[in-house]
């Protein structure tokens, strides 16, 4: 790649003109708000000013009242300088005061700043460029993370943080710190007073390495990147170790994996079913117990969508789930080429970028009505029970078939009112800044997700309300027109026969969706050829008799399972194909009238119409996107090297020789077993496995929560005095629960009481996930079997609200402990402000940032310091009044 | 809109923004040929062109502008695309933008 093209892939975030000049040196002159404009505050403050400006979206930038233009410089070289007052930006105009009218210039600068602000926000949203931050003052990784967070409030941006620090590697080294954050190394920056003194070669090396590492699928020209087929579930699993994999910003489970049963056809006339394919069909029949995988939703940054919904991640994984029907059929999605080794290449450039969050509904064969209905519409109906669909651009395919398009839009109107739809031509590749992809709810030939079909029915019924088709038809007959497949050759004969049984020929594709749904909902029975429109039986009420006609060379169980899991009374008749020229489902066939008469006579033995049972909605709507969580930046801290917490507790028992011991959250009793004094243990479960009685003159066990215990019992009376040593270890690892326990304990404390709190130093924010069952956040942690809850927040709270406490946080394995001393039984600070504390913590805008700040500020002491800590305790004790 | 019309509109804007009333644009002209066409003025040119032709330049497009012909090509493509959008409607009324369809809210 030429240098000018290389540096054009980056956008400066300012500090100085250095990177802007690097781009100029390479022959590139991109437009950028901060390329040559800098903040006037001292270098150490520029990061914070930039973050604050990003948080405000540079709102108000360009207001003429905030633009000040002054002539500066030596008398023989005066120049107009622009000082922007709202954000403290300064830049040169290179104009002589005598050459220009300052009032007009202010007006032009206003236009310029507004334009560049809009461009910056668009660039952040589309995230096509890598944003560059350097600063001659020292910036640590937390600063870079905060900048990344500020940038990512606007779009899925990648930040290249460049350091002039050889400790991070050789010049040109670029390291992936976490998703969206790269750290590049250069030997030196240009001094602010000699800005042209630039190590251009170093910068070019950093840019090249960063672009390669960023993994952007558009970082290389079309055709040069190898695309490999990967299963999404495999990527999700591997993302635990490599968070950058797939450019996945979030994963949620919308529906857990489950099993279901479908009832096989009540009657099947297989006289003309191809003998070579009978085993195939009856094998499906034997598999009435089916399982579907969990339905996942992932958010992919800068993914491409090609052809009929084939998804390519930014790092070159073609998601198998999105196109396996193509791949297994030996087809290649549009815009791609298959290599001899099974990999693919992209050979067409993306036609457009969609910066807004988009939900992909396109699936293979979407142009077939049955596939759109069962694959896309039912997925959308199901998604509507979980997500606010107005937040997304809904991506469907573009068709020029007026009726097909109208049916699709009608369905979307019913299922996602108020949404915005993008119609992507199948012969274009599009890039999405923020692609929301849901795994298929139909994996042919079986495995339609019952909850999705139920959602489709429920929402369709809700949408049409009491609408009745005009005219209503109790018995529906659907036969393809000549030219449609599979064509029934003795069409007229069958129409006449069916008329004897009260069937009326309908053409659903000619009807509005409301009429279509109402007809099938209210149908007494349905008979027809298994054409795409036959999929409308998805709208039938359970119990409705459905009779399907099919050529004997097409044993596809699609409709049988659709009917079988929807509670329909399904009958199937195969007729002889009249040729074998085309593939299955495409050859004309006939149905033997007598065979059909026998079936109809049997099904309608009684003239009384079958009562259609009232359908119960299977899927209850849930609140908006309750499961999905944005991936928080993955920052894994090293595992603690201190003694295991039980050893520290044992040492405390040995050294302090407490008179009384209280434990809340006892679990199997390992910690309780260490006590050799009067002890109280509180736990709602108490699954004791240890010899907890050993060495204790009294042991009081309470199978209840801490709240219940303190509301019912007088702890000091139980103990016969104040608490000497206490250990708080859940069982609910929620900081507010632990805080309440602490408040209760402090009332029963003395100045010598020590409270030990477990799990206060998790190794990453996923381990500290508040909801233990939130697997799709928790699985991101390095240690899946460790869960600390959000107990760490209690340290933040105590340090803020109770600076009088003495808190030592130790690196006890596995997840840290805190020793809290200097308690005041008369203090009401925490209880008085408890509600405020909870509100305040709930309002933290960014849990990951709060956790990072906590870890950054935490003075973590080694467990080897226990001697020192106890010596300090002793000194305090001696000096106590 | 024909190229000559687009170029005429561009010329008016270049003359006004660059304060070069006698400027005559040719497709091959680059900033090297028009001294007033610097990066500062470039922004003003783009803003004025957007307003005149009712389009929005993307970053991808502005990054690829090296000469007058590049701008002409972008304008041509955008204006043509607008025209095609009007043609490619499905209800025959030329009022449904194909690119983005707003689904009616629930009644």
């Amino acid at each position: 790649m030429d240098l000018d093209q290389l540096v054009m892939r980056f956008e400066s975030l300012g500090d100085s003109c250095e990177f802007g000049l690097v781009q100029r040196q390479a022959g590139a002159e991109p437009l950028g708000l901060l390329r040559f404009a800098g903040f006037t505050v001292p270098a150490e403050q520029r990061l914070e000013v930039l973050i604050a400006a990003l948080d405000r979206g540079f709102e108000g930038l360009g207001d003429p009242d905030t633009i000040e233009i002054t002539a500066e410089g030596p008398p023989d070289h005066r120049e107009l300088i622009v000082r922007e007052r709202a954000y403290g930006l300064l830049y040169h105009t290179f104009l002589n005061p005598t050459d220009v009218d300052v009032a007009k210039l202010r007006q032009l600068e206003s236009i310029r700043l507004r334009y560049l602000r809009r461009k910056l926000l668009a660039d952040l949203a589309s995230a096509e460029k890598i944003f560059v931050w350097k600063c001659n003052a020292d910036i640590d990784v937390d600063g870079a993370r905060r900048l990344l967070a500020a940038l990512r409030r606007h779009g899925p941006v990648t930040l290249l943080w460049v350091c002039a620090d050889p400790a991070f590697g050789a010049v040109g080294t670029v390291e992936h710190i976490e998703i969206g954050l790269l750290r590049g190394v250069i030997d030196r920056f240009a001094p602010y007073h000699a800005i042209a003194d630039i190590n251009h070669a170093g910068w070019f090396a950093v840019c090249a390495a960063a672009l390669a590492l960023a993994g952007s699928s558009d970082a290389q020209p079309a055709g040069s990147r190898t695309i490999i087929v990967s299963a999404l579930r495999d990527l999700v699993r591997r993302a635990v170790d490599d968070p950058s994999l797939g450019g996945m910003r979030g994963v949620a489970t919308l529906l857990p994996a489950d099993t279901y049963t479908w009832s096989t056809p009540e009657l099947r006339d297989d006289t003309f079913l191809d003998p070579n394919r009978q085993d195939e069909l009856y094998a499906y029949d034997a598999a009435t117990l089916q399982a579907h995988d969990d339905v996942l939703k992932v958010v992919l940054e800068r993914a491409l969508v090609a052809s009929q919904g084939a998804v390519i991640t930014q790092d070159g994984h073609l998601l198998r789930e999105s196109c396996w029907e193509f791949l297994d059929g030996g087809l290649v999605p549009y815009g791609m080429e298959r290599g001899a080794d099974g990999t693919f290449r992209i050979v067409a450039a993306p036609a457009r970028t969609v910066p807004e969050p988009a939900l992909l509904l396109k699936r293979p064969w979407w142009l077939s009505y049955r596939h759109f209905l069962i694959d896309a519409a039912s997925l959308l109906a199901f998604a509507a029970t979980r997500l606010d669909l107005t937040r997304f651009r809904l991506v469907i395919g573009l068709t020029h078939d007026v009726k097909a398009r109208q049916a699709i839009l009608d369905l979307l109107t019913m299922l996602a009112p108020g949404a915005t739809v993008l119609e992507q031509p199948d012969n274009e590749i599009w890039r999405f800044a923020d692609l929301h992809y849901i795994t298929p709810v139909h994996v042919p030939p079986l495995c339609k997700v019952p909850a999705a079909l139920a959602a489709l029915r429920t929402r369709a019924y809700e949408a049409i309300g009491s609408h009745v088709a005009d005219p209503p038809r109790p018995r529906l007959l659907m036969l393809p027109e000549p030219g449609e497949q599979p064509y029934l050759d003795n069409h007229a004969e069958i129409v006449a026969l069916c008329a004897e049984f009260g069937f009326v020929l309908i053409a659903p594709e000619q009807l509005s969706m409301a009429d279509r749904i109402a007809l099938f909902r209210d149908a007494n029975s349905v008979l027809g050829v298994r054409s795409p429109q036959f999929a409308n039986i998805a709208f039938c009420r359970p119990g409705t008799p459905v009779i399907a006609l099919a050529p004997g060379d097409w044993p596809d169980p699609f409709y049988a399972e659709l009917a079988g899991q929807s509670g329909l009374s399904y009958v199937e008749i195969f007729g002889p194909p009249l040729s074998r020229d085309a593939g299955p489902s495409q050859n004309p066939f006939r149905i033997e009238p007598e065979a059909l008469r026998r079936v109809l006579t049997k099904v309608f033995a009684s003239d009384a119409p079958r009562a259609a049972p009232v359908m119960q909605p299977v899927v209850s709507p849930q609140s908006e996107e309750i499961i999905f969580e944005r991936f928080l930046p993955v920052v894994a801290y090293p595992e603690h090297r201190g003694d295991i917490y039980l050893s520290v507790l044992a040492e405390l028992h040995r050294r302090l020789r407490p008179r009384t011991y209280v434990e809340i959250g006892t679990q199997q009793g390992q910690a309780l077993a260490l006590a050799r004094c009067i002890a109280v243990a509180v736990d709602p479960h108490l699954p004791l496995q240890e010899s907890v009685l050993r060495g204790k003159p009294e042991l009081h066990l309470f199978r209840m929560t801490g709240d219940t215990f303190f509301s019912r019992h007088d702890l000091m009376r139980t103990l016969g005095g104040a608490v000497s040593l206490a250990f708080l270890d859940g069982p609910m690892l929620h900081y507010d629960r632990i805080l309440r326990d602490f408040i209760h304990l402090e009332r029963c404390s003395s100045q010598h009481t020590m409270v030990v709190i477990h799990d206060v130093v998790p190794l990453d924010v996923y381990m500290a996930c508040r909801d233990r069952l939130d697997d799709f956040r928790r699985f991101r942690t390095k240690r899946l079997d460790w869960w600390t809850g959000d107990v760490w927040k209690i340290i933040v709270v105590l340090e803020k609200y109770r600076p009088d406490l003495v808190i030592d946080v130790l690196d006890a394995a596995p997840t840290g402990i805190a020793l809290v001393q200097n308690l005041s039984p008369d203090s009401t600070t925490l209880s008085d402000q408890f509600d405020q504390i909870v509100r305040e913590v709930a309002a933290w805008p960014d849990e990951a940032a709060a956790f990072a700040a906590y870890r950054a500020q935490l003075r973590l002491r080694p467990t080897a310091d226990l001697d020192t800590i106890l010596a300090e305790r002793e000194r305090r004790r001696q000096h106590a009044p | 809109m024909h190229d000559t019309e687009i170029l005429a509109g561009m010329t008016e804007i270049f003359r006004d923004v660059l304060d070069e009333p006698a400027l005559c644009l040719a497709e091959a002209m680059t900033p090297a040929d028009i001294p007033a066409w610097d990066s500062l003025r470039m922004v003003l040119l783009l803003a004025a062109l957007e307003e005149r032709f009712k389009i929005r330049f993307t970053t991808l497009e502005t990054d690829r502008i090296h000469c007058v012909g590049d701008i002409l090509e972008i304008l041509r493509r955008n204006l043509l695309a607008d025209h095609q959008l009007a043609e490619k409607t499905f209800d025959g009324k030329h009022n449904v933008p194909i690119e983005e369809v707003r689904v009616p809210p629930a009644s």
Side-chain angles (χ1 to χ4, degrees):
Chain A
M1 184 181 286
D2 293 338
L3 273 183
D4 60 336
Q5 291 175 27
L6 171 69
V7 296
M8 284 293 265
R9 308 305 308 268
F10 296 82
E11 183 158 342
S12 174
L13 289 170
D15 176 58
S16 71
C17 303
E18 181 167 352
F19 188 69
L21 293 172
V22 169
Q23 291 175 309
R24 177 162 292 169
Q25 177 74 15
E29 295 288 357
L31 303 174
L33 174 64
L34 298 169
R35 185 177 171 211
F36 290 128
F39 295 107
T40 51
V41 296
E44 307 79 51
Q45 299 170 23
R46 287 178 195 163
L47 180 71
E48 299 309 323
V49 172
L50 174 60
I51 289 172
L54 287 165
D55 284 345
R56 289 179 57 194
F58 282 94
E59 188 183 357
L61 186 73
D63 183 338
D65 293 341
T66 64
I67 298 172
E68 186 179 297
I69 301 177
T70 54
E72 298 181 17
D76 59 337
H77 195 71
R78 303 286 279 174
E79 182 202 353
L80 292 174
I81 300 288
V82 177
R83 291 177 188 276
E84 192 281 328
R85 294 294 181 196
Y87 293 93
L89 290 171
L90 178 146
Y91 56 92
H92 295 259
T93 66
F94 302 102
L95 292 171
N96 189 300
T98 59
D99 293 344
V100 62
D101 172 15
V102 170
K104 186 177 180 193
L105 182 61
R106 179 181 293 112
Q107 195 183 355
L108 296 177
E109 292 306 326
S110 169
I111 295 171
R112 222 174 68 80
L113 287 170
R114 286 171 204 252
Y115 183 93
L116 290 175
R117 171 195 177 242
R118 197 192 80 209
K119 181 178 178 302
L120 174 66
L121 296 180
D123 289 350
L124 289 169
S126 68
E128 291 188 334
K129 298 217 172 189
I130 296 173
F131 285 79
V132 179
W133 172 251
K134 52 78 55 176
C135 184
N136 290 18
D138 286 341
I139 300 295
D140 62 12
V141 70
D142 289 323
R145 284 188 180 117
R146 282 186 292 109
L147 175 57
L148 177 66
L151 292 166
R152 286 200 156 216
R153 280 190 265 281
H154 298 278
V157 167
T158 297
L159 171 64
L160 171 61
W161 161 44
V162 181
C163 306
D165 187 345
F168 292 128
V171 174
T173 301
V174 175
E175 184 184 358
H176 180 266
I177 303 295
E178 60 195 50
I179 192 163
L181 181 58
L182 306 176
R183 178 171 58 204
V185 181
I186 196 164
D187 55 343
R188 62 180 178 82
F189 292 128
Y192 291 133
H193 63 274
I195 199 65
D197 181 15
I198 298 171
N199 176 1
H200 291 291
W203 274 103
F204 295 149
V206 167
C207 288
L211 198 55
L213 201 58
S216 167
S217 57
D218 57 357
Q220 303 166 44
S224 67
R225 184 176 194 86
T226 299
I227 307 293
I228 57 170
V229 179
S230 301
L232 175 65
R233 285 181 169 78
D234 185 43
L235 290 182
V236 168
R237 199 175 64 250
R238 288 162 54 199
V240 173
D241 297 321
D242 179 3
S244 68
L245 197 67
M248 285 184 284
R249 188 159 52 76
V251 180
T253 183
L254 295 184
L255 186 72
D258 203 355
T259 58
Y260 66 93
T261 55
W262 63 286
S263 48
T264 51
E266 289 190 3
L267 182 65
R268 179 180 281 139
D269 182 343
D270 61 1
T271 309
F272 292 101
L273 179 60
D274 187 337
N276 295 324
R277 304 198 66 179
Q278 290 198 0
D279 288 349
E280 179 186 338
L281 184 62
Y282 289 109
Y284 290 129
D285 275 7
T288 54
L289 176 64
Q290 285 289 314
H292 65 76
D293 283 328
D294 40 11
V295 178
L296 297 182
K297 172 172 166 287
V298 292
V299 190
L300 300 166
E301 293 181 352
R302 291 190 295 155
L304 300 174
V305 175
S307 188
Q308 297 186 15
V311 177
I312 303 141
T313 65
Q314 61 171 258
D315 52 351
H317 294 277
L318 173 60
L319 298 188
R320 179 170 165 71
E321 288 87 343
S322 71
C323 58
W324 71 265
E325 295 94 330
F326 261 56
L327 301 179
D328 285 9
L331 301 174
V332 178
Y334 169 83
M336 306 182 77
E337 277 182 4
R338 192 200 298 265
D341 58 355
T343 61
F344 289 83
R345 288 188 314 134
I346 296 177
V347 292
R352 65 176 286 180
T353 295
V354 178
E356 301 89 358
L359 178 66
L360 183 64
L361 296 177
K362 239 183 169 190
R363 295 274 306 127
W365 319 137
W366 67 269
L367 263 167
S368 164
Y369 176 75
R370 76 165 178 162
H371 279 284
F372 186 84
L373 192 66
I374 304 304
D375 299 3
S378 62
L379 183 146
L380 183 64
F382 173 69
T385 66
R386 302 288 194 276
L387 313 169
D388 173 8
L389 297 176
T390 59
R391 292 172 42 213
F392 304 104
R393 297 290 190 271
L394 305 181
V395 182
I396 60 173
L398 173 65
T399 174
H400 294 274
D401 180 327
V402 174
K403 284 179 183 158
R405 180 173 185 262
Q406 194 56 55
I408 288 170
L409 292 181
D410 281 354
L411 266 172
L412 297 185
T413 304
M414 293 176 183
L415 303 175
T420 304
V421 178
L422 292 177
E423 296 169 287
Q424 180 192 13
D426 284 359
N427 62 351
E428 285 186 4
I429 294 179
W430 285 8
R431 178 181 297 113
F432 293 84
D434 214 10
L435 182 70
H436 295 244
Y437 174 73
I438 300 177
T439 51
V441 294
H442 170 215
V443 183
L446 298 179
C447 291
K448 302 163 188 74
V449 173
L453 282 174
L456 174 65
R457 251 192 312 271
T458 303
R459 289 187 79 85
Y461 285 8
E462 285 170 359
I464 66 168
S466 57
H467 176 82
V468 175
D470 181 24
R473 305 288 193 195
R475 290 187 177 176
L476 312 180
L477 174 63
M478 287 182 291
L479 300 178
E481 294 292 318
E484 294 179 342
Q485 296 163 337
Y487 181 63
L488 183 64
D489 191 60
N490 56 337
H491 184 285
E493 194 175 11
I494 297 302
V495 171
L497 170 61
C498 291
E500 292 178 29
F501 288 83
F503 282 90
V504 177
L505 190 63
I506 62 161
E509 65 275 16
Q510 304 291 339
L511 304 174
S512 71
M513 274 313 300
D515 269 356
R516 227 179 279 192
I517 294 164
L519 263 186
F520 282 82
R521 177 197 60 190
D522 301 335
N524 167 276
S525 50
V526 178
L527 189 159
V529 171
R530 293 190 324 196
S531 63
Q533 289 292 332
F534 201 66
N536 284 310
I537 62 173
F539 297 122
C540 288
R541 294 181 190 274
T544 305
V546 170
I547 301 150
L549 311 178
D553 60 349
W554 188 35
D556 182 359
F558 176 94
Y559 293 103
E561 192 218 19
L562 171 60
Q565 65 166 262
S566 302
L568 308 181
S569 175
Y570 189 75
V571 175
E572 204 161 45
I573 306 172
F574 289 97
L578 300 182
S579 77
R580 302 273 179 170
D581 298 339
S585 86
Q586 295 168 31
N587 291 311
F589 73 111
R590 57 178 283 116
I591 289 290
E592 295 304 321
E594 283 314 306
L596 178 57
R597 182 182 294 280
R598 278 196 301 274
V599 167
L600 290 176
T601 303
K602 191 167 184 178
V603 171
F604 299 107
S606 163
D607 284 341
R610 292 194 180 198
V614 177
M615 195 193 72
Q616 298 297 325
V618 175
V619 178
S620 56
Q622 298 188 10
S623 57
E624 176 190 349
E625 202 159 0
I626 53 168
I627 303 171
F628 178 75
E629 285 278 358
R630 184 189 170 96
F631 273 0
L632 305 171
V634 178
V635 184
Y637 296 84
E639 294 193 6
H640 299 308
R641 294 182 176 177
D643 296 334
I644 193 161
Y645 75 101
L646 287 172
S647 300
V648 179
L649 262 182
E651 188 64 9
L652 287 171
H653 278 289
R654 193 179 70 79
R655 304 278 293 274
L656 298 178
R657 296 192 174 280
R659 194 189 72 81
T660 61
Y661 173 74
V662 177
E663 184 173 287
I664 301 178
T666 294
Q667 300 171 50
Q668 284 80 25
Q670 293 98 324
L672 181 60
L674 302 171
R676 299 286 185 271
C677 58
I678 299 169
V680 166
V682 181
D683 190 302
H685 307 296
L686 277 178
L688 296 175
Q689 291 180 359
E690 297 285 328
S691 305
V692 293
L693 270 172
R694 190 173 50 192
K696 296 177 182 62
E698 294 176 27
L699 173 59
H700 305 264
L701 298 175
F702 295 88
R703 183 172 281 171
M704 57 187 66
T705 64
D707 284 338
T708 307
F709 170 77
F710 286 109
S711 68
R712 292 183 186 172
H713 300 274
D714 182 339
L715 178 60
M716 292 194 52
R717 176 173 291 181
T718 306
L719 293 172
V723 177
S724 306
L725 179 65
F727 182 49
L728 300 183
D729 191 17
M732 283 297 287
L733 296 179
H734 293 172
Y735 85 92
D736 45 333
R737 297 284 290 264
I738 306 280
L739 181 60
R740 283 205 297 271
D741 292 340
F742 181 85
I743 291 169
H744 290 305
L745 276 174
E746 188 172 28
R747 288 185 190 135
C748 307
S749 69
S750 72
Q751 59 181 322
H752 307 306
T753 300
M754 177 186 284
V755 177
V756 181
I757 307 175
H758 191 204
D759 292 324
V760 294
V761 197
L763 303 188
D764 58 55
V765 72
Y766 298 106
M767 187 178 288
C769 177
R770 187 173 168 90
D771 182 356
R772 185 173 198 165
L773 301 178
D774 186 357
D775 287 342
F776 277 84
R777 277 186 71 188
R778 285 194 57 222
F779 94 104
R780 303 276 297 173
T781 184
K782 294 288 180 191
R783 297 296 299 255
L784 286 170
D785 50 338
W786 294 0
W787 176 61
T788 64
D790 63 351
V791 178
W792 63 272
K793 293 173 184 169
I794 197 171
I795 303 301
V796 180
V797 169
L798 292 180
E799 287 183 338
K800 175 174 179 182
Y801 285 87
R802 291 294 303 280
D804 53 317
L805 294 172
V806 174
I807 303 173
D808 293 293
V809 181
L810 304 185
D811 68 343
T815 51
I817 56 172
L819 312 183
V820 186
Q821 302 178 80
N822 210 33
L823 279 67
S824 306
D826 299 328
S827 173
T828 59
T829 304
L830 293 171
S831 54
D832 291 346
Q833 302 190 72
F834 183 82
D835 291 344
Q836 180 192 324
I837 291 168
V838 172
R839 276 196 304 272
E840 185 179 304
V841 172
W844 288 354
D846 185 338
E847 183 148 341
F851 179 71
Y854 166 69
R855 287 300 310 256
Q857 291 161 12
L858 186 64
R859 184 169 165 255
L860 191 59
R861 302 184 72 167
T863 53
D865 268 6
L866 194 59
D867 282 345
T868 313
I869 291 168
L870 294 179
E872 290 163 357
R873 170 189 167 90
E874 190 54 34
R875 274 198 295 278
R876 281 195 304 274
R877 195 170 174 167
Q878 288 171 1
H879 290 97
Chain B
M1 193 178 278
H2 297 295
D3 281 4
T4 48
E5 291 175 79
I6 300 173
L7 201 57
M10 287 174 59
T11 303
E12 273 181 41
I13 286 167
F14 269 67
R15 286 175 177 175
D16 182 42
V17 171
L18 304 184
D19 201 15
E20 298 268 4
L23 182 66
C24 288
L25 286 185
E27 289 193 39
M29 290 171 101
T30 69
D33 303 314
I34 309 172
W37 183 3
D38 58 17
S39 62
L40 298 178
R41 291 288 186 281
M42 179 66 174
V43 176
L44 300 177
L45 281 172
L46 294 175
L49 288 165
E50 285 190 348
E51 192 176 339
R52 167 71 177 256
F53 292 102
K54 308 293 180 210
I55 65 155
R56 280 286 168 92
F57 290 103
T58 66
T59 294
L60 203 62
E61 288 170 338
T62 57
D63 282 354
R64 290 176 181 167
I65 294 174
H66 301 292
C67 65
V68 169
D70 293 335
I71 301 178
L72 180 65
E73 170 58 26
I74 295 168
L75 292 174
R76 185 193 293 137
R77 199 172 54 241
N78 275 276
L79 296 171
L80 180 66
D82 283 349
H83 177 67
Q84 286 175 338
L85 285 182
E87 291 293 309
K88 281 200 286 182
T89 54
F90 290 93
D91 60 359
K93 295 177 189 167
H94 290 209
N95 61 355
V96 181
I98 196 170
E99 190 170 310
E100 197 165 280
V101 179
R102 182 73 63 177
V103 174
S107 54

